[in-house]
Amino acid sequence: MPPPPIEKAWWKEAVVYQIYPASFLDSNGDGLGDIPGIISKIPYIKSLGVDTIWLSPIFASPQKDMGYDVADYRSIHAPYGTVADVQKLIDELHANNVRILMDLVVNHTSDQHAWFKESRASRSSSKRDWYIWRDPKYDEQGNRKEPNNWKSIFGGSAWAYDEPTGQYYLALFLPSQPDLNWENADMREEAYNDMRFWLDRGVDGFRIDSMNLMSKHPNLPDGKVVTDEPYQSGAEFFASGPKMHDYIREMRTKVFDNYEVMSVGELGFTKDEQSVSQYVAKGRHELNMLFTGDIVDMDFGANGKYERDDFHPRKIRKITNMWQGAMPKFDGWNTVYLDNHDSGRSLSRYASDAPEHRSTAAKMLATYMMSLSGTPFLLAGQEIGMANLAKNYGAEAYIDVEGKNYYNEVLQTRGGDTSKMADVLREMQLKSRDHGRLPMQWDDSPNAGFTTADSKPWMTINKDYVDWNVASQIDDPESIMAYWKRMIALRKDYSDLLVYGSYIPLPETLTGEMVLGYERYSKTTGQRALVLLNFSDQEQIVVAKEYAEYTDSSILVSNQEVEESVGSEVALRPFGAVIILKHE
């Protein structure tokens, strides 16, 4: 039985532009991006054709993990601005018909949050159970040990010892990021009140950080011992735990259903179709959509992010075919993305940032994103082809806590010899979170127009900004930015086809291993389109005998010079992309 027609919704047709606040625009010369800087660029944001922004965390925070350590959900990190500034941002975005999503970090808080300060004040504190506290274990020699062997996501133990009260608290990220205990109903209610605080001010939804870590196995068992390291992954016991769906449904019922919001969950350690369906199937009444993370993990090694496993087009074909095919089965909805604040730039990882290919490759990736069913999320800078830091940057250019901790951990095991770290540095040059957080490249003036010439930017600015910036592209009809604008407009013009239409994969035997190909088909309009994407730096020829109905059809869009119509063969130049619209 075929799936029912897809129900339309604003959040399905949205095109989301992610802004990392520290890196977008500094309005006051302190070297850090801020809310007034974002407000000043609303006309630019609107000009791209996007209709929603997603703002990475801006709440009050000691910034041990760039705002993912929240000290007060109802205050703003002072260097970014004030609640009044955020209200002005919300109001001006809405005046321009642009919605706003905020980053909701409620798996954990900062250790500077008032809740945690009260929780750790004594074992009898009324908020003691708002966090996860456990007694120590002791070995045969009487040495104090952690409650279990879980490894922190950022390295080391997932437990931190509190000397005054003699217990450990769970902190899956940094020791300064204690995990909240979602089993405590009072804590949940206060978290919901914080969500309402922003929804009442006009926020249009949330991206929920580390969403499926909120429910842990109640016994907190040891993780399987698979290495000779002292700490092991406990993911099977702290990801998508037994009450996870109860919490999300409660959040939906008590909070989200009272507003017209978009909800997007970050789903870590869980990438299978059955588990995903339980979060986003319409009948489950949980979330609108998820980031599963697999599309930004395609070059991760079997044993971790910084192990080498080079990208191949077969990887993106497998993931794309799986999720495009899966969602219609259970009336779910996809996110479509290639970059975010936790990843290296897709242009450098999955395509090419070489000067001779960079523009074409960036346009090919834009074609991919905007021709799939789901809600597209682009990271600020994608629209101008921003790339990773080049290979002439050393380890000192990388400042993010995740990458730094890993580098130093490995360096220690290698006796402190930096000459033995080339393999780790290579992977950081591809995958470090720093790349997704590079300051926006506005023009070719000092500091890329991100901050004043005499200011020190909060992090490294890519030296390639002189050639790759907004000012150099904004009036160029052949630029990457112009192509993105065209693709966004095309997606809206052909929404029945490109947003809501069916996805039909083309087999590799037809396209060749380096080309990703698929059809989009709209039952509503009867339109068909053939999408061909060359993920290689060599010309590829696709012989489309089995798709003879596209012969003499017209080119809807392409990032290369092509004929007005196509025959039985389609030649794709290096990183070439084409969408062929079948004539009715």
Side-chain angles (χ1 to χ4, degrees):
M1 184 176 177
I6 296 171
E7 184 179 337
K8 295 187 176 184
W10 72 263
W11 45 267
K12 293 179 180 179
E13 298 178 28
V15 178
V16 185
Y17 186 74
Q18 183 189 358
I19 293 175
Y20 199 69
S23 298
F24 196 62
L25 183 66
D26 170 22
S27 71
N28 60 5
D30 64 358
L32 191 74
D34 47 46
I35 303 301
I38 299 170
I39 293 171
S40 73
K41 290 296 183 180
I42 289 175
Y44 169 76
I45 294 166
K46 176 75 172 176
S47 75
L48 297 174
V50 302
D51 48 34
T52 307
I53 71 164
W54 156 26
L55 206 54
S56 291
I58 55 173
F59 306 124
S61 166
Q63 299 289 310
K64 298 292 179 63
D65 185 23
M66 287 306 297
Y68 285 93
D69 48 330
V70 178
D72 185 349
Y73 292 101
R74 302 191 190 193
S75 297
I76 302 302
H77 182 51
Y80 289 161
T82 64
V83 171
D85 289 327
V86 178
Q87 188 64 63
K88 182 179 180 183
L89 174 65
I90 294 167
D91 293 343
E92 293 202 15
L93 285 167
H94 286 173
N96 283 274
N97 297 314
V98 178
R99 291 180 168 94
I100 177 171
L101 309 179
M102 293 183 86
D103 223 315
L104 183 64
V105 189
V106 286
N107 171 71
H108 50 268
T109 68
S110 165
D111 60 358
Q112 299 305 302
H113 196 293
W115 297 349
F116 187 71
K117 288 180 178 180
E118 189 171 338
S119 180
R120 79 188 310 179
S122 74
R123 289 199 184 198
S124 60
S125 165
S126 62
K127 287 188 172 61
R128 185 68 170 183
D129 195 39
W130 285 33
Y131 295 83
I132 300 172
W133 294 91
R134 292 293 185 274
D135 289 329
K137 289 183 177 179
Y138 293 91
D139 63 18
E140 294 176 355
Q141 288 73 42
N143 298 309
R144 189 186 74 232
K145 306 286 286 184
E146 293 88 352
N148 66 27
N149 68 351
W150 290 359
K151 182 177 183 177
S152 159
I153 291 165
F154 288 162
S157 174
W159 294 91
Y161 188 64
D162 183 60
E163 198 78 46
T165 60
Q167 285 189 313
Y168 285 90
Y169 61 87
L170 183 66
L172 289 177
F173 293 89
L174 293 174
S176 57
Q177 292 171 290
D179 281 54
L180 286 161
N181 177 20
W182 270 74
E183 293 200 9
N184 186 293
D186 291 337
M187 186 285 299
R188 296 201 306 274
E189 283 302 323
E190 195 56 34
Y192 299 153
N193 285 335
D194 287 338
M195 297 174 203
R196 295 184 189 105
F197 177 87
W198 289 107
L199 293 170
D200 287 340
R201 279 155 180 76
V203 167
D204 298 289
F206 296 110
R207 175 263 188 186
I208 308 172
D209 180 70
S210 303
M211 178 274 300
N212 65 316
L213 307 188
M214 294 188 290
S215 173
K216 283 83 170 172
H217 190 290
N219 297 329
L220 306 182
D222 279 345
K224 292 176 184 175
V225 177
V226 295
T227 72
D228 56 4
E229 297 176 2
Y231 306 111
Q232 308 293 320
S233 172
E236 67 174 305
F237 300 116
F238 65 65
S240 292
K243 294 186 178 179
M244 193 63 249
H245 296 287
D246 295 338
Y247 299 151
I248 295 297
R249 280 194 292 270
E250 181 181 83
M251 188 187 303
R252 172 84 179 256
T253 302
K254 288 191 172 185
V255 184
F256 295 164
D257 282 351
N258 298 308
Y259 305 84
E260 190 185 358
V261 300
M262 178 199 292
S263 57
V264 191
E266 181 188 27
L267 189 71
F269 307 96
T270 309
K271 296 178 172 66
D272 64 285
E273 182 179 322
Q274 174 62 25
S275 298
V276 167
S277 72
Q278 293 176 2
Y279 287 103
V280 298
K282 184 184 176 185
R284 298 279 300 181
H285 201 68
E286 295 190 24
L287 297 168
N288 295 147
M289 62 193 97
L290 292 167
F291 293 120
T292 55
D294 43 8
I295 205 78
V296 293
D297 296 356
M298 289 189 289
D299 52 4
F300 286 17
N303 299 310
K305 177 175 182 175
Y306 294 111
E307 181 180 86
R308 182 170 180 173
D309 187 9
D310 292 345
F311 170 75
H312 188 281
R314 284 194 178 116
K315 295 182 178 183
I316 198 166
R317 176 182 290 109
K318 179 181 178 182
I319 292 170
T320 305
N321 289 348
M322 178 174 74
W323 292 121
Q324 289 289 305
M327 288 297 170
K329 295 178 190 174
F330 43 80
D331 202 4
W333 195 249
N334 274 302
T335 54
V336 178
Y337 63 102
L338 288 168
D339 293 49
N340 62 36
H341 62 289
D342 280 338
S343 72
R345 294 277 177 174
S346 58
L347 181 65
S348 301
R349 298 166 68 195
Y350 307 149
S352 175
D353 57 17
E356 66 271 26
H357 297 308
R358 184 164 174 171
S359 181
T360 306
K363 293 173 184 177
M364 183 272 289
L365 295 178
T367 312
Y368 167 82
M369 282 186 58
M370 303 310 291
S371 63
L372 291 174
S373 179
T375 301
F377 290 74
L378 61 148
L379 178 64
Q382 267 184 282
E383 76 273 22
I384 57 168
M386 278 183 64
N388 283 356
L389 293 174
K391 293 179 174 56
N392 57 354
Y393 287 87
E396 68 283 351
Y398 297 90
I399 66 173
D400 176 61
V401 62
E402 179 209 59
K404 277 178 65 176
N405 283 3
Y406 181 81
Y407 183 90
N408 291 332
E409 190 179 289
V410 175
L411 183 62
Q412 186 177 6
T413 66
R414 297 178 181 179
D417 187 349
T418 55
S419 69
K420 297 179 179 178
M421 296 295 289
D423 59 330
V424 175
L425 187 57
R426 178 195 182 274
E427 301 310 303
M428 289 179 68
Q429 288 167 342
L430 283 173
K431 308 168 196 171
S432 169
R433 301 197 304 183
D434 293 86
H435 301 299
R437 305 175 181 192
L438 297 174
M440 185 68 174
Q441 296 164 196
W442 292 105
D443 56 41
D444 62 1
S445 66
N447 289 326
F450 161 71
T451 187
T452 55
D454 56 353
S455 297
K456 180 176 171 52
W458 77 277
M459 77 168 301
T460 308
I461 288 180
N462 203 333
K463 295 171 188 172
D464 70 5
Y465 77 86
V466 175
D467 297 312
W468 301 90
N469 59 67
V470 170
S472 68
Q473 296 192 29
I474 200 161
D475 295 320
D476 179 0
E478 301 301 318
S479 67
I480 299 168
M481 184 192 298
Y483 192 87
W484 265 105
K485 290 179 180 179
R486 183 180 177 192
M487 288 304 308
I488 292 170
L490 204 66
R491 184 177 181 83
K492 294 181 185 296
D493 290 343
Y494 288 85
S495 62
D496 283 320
L497 177 65
L498 298 178
V499 177
Y500 296 110
S502 301
Y503 174 93
I504 305 159
L506 269 63
E508 183 182 317
T509 52
L510 179 68
T511 64
E513 66 177 285
M514 306 309 289
V515 174
L516 173 61
Y518 45 88
E519 271 193 294
R520 301 302 313 280
Y521 168 63
S522 169
K523 292 180 182 177
T524 304
T525 65
Q527 289 174 323
R528 282 186 182 273
L530 185 67
V531 183
L532 298 173
L533 307 162
N534 181 4
F535 276 84
S536 80
D537 60 1
Q538 302 294 316
E539 182 178 76
Q540 304 291 324
I541 304 294
V542 177
V543 181
K545 291 178 183 176
E546 296 175 37
Y547 292 83
E549 68 265 34
Y550 286 96
T551 301
D552 297 325
S553 293
S554 59
I555 304 298
L556 185 61
V557 68
S558 179
N559 67 348
Q560 61 184 37
E561 291 181 13
V562 292
E563 301 293 331
E564 287 283 328
S565 61
V566 292
S568 60
E569 290 189 354
V570 181
L572 295 170
R573 295 179 184 177
F575 300 103
V578 63
I579 301 180
I580 306 166
L581 187 66
K582 182 187 174 186
H583 285 154
E584 291 304 310

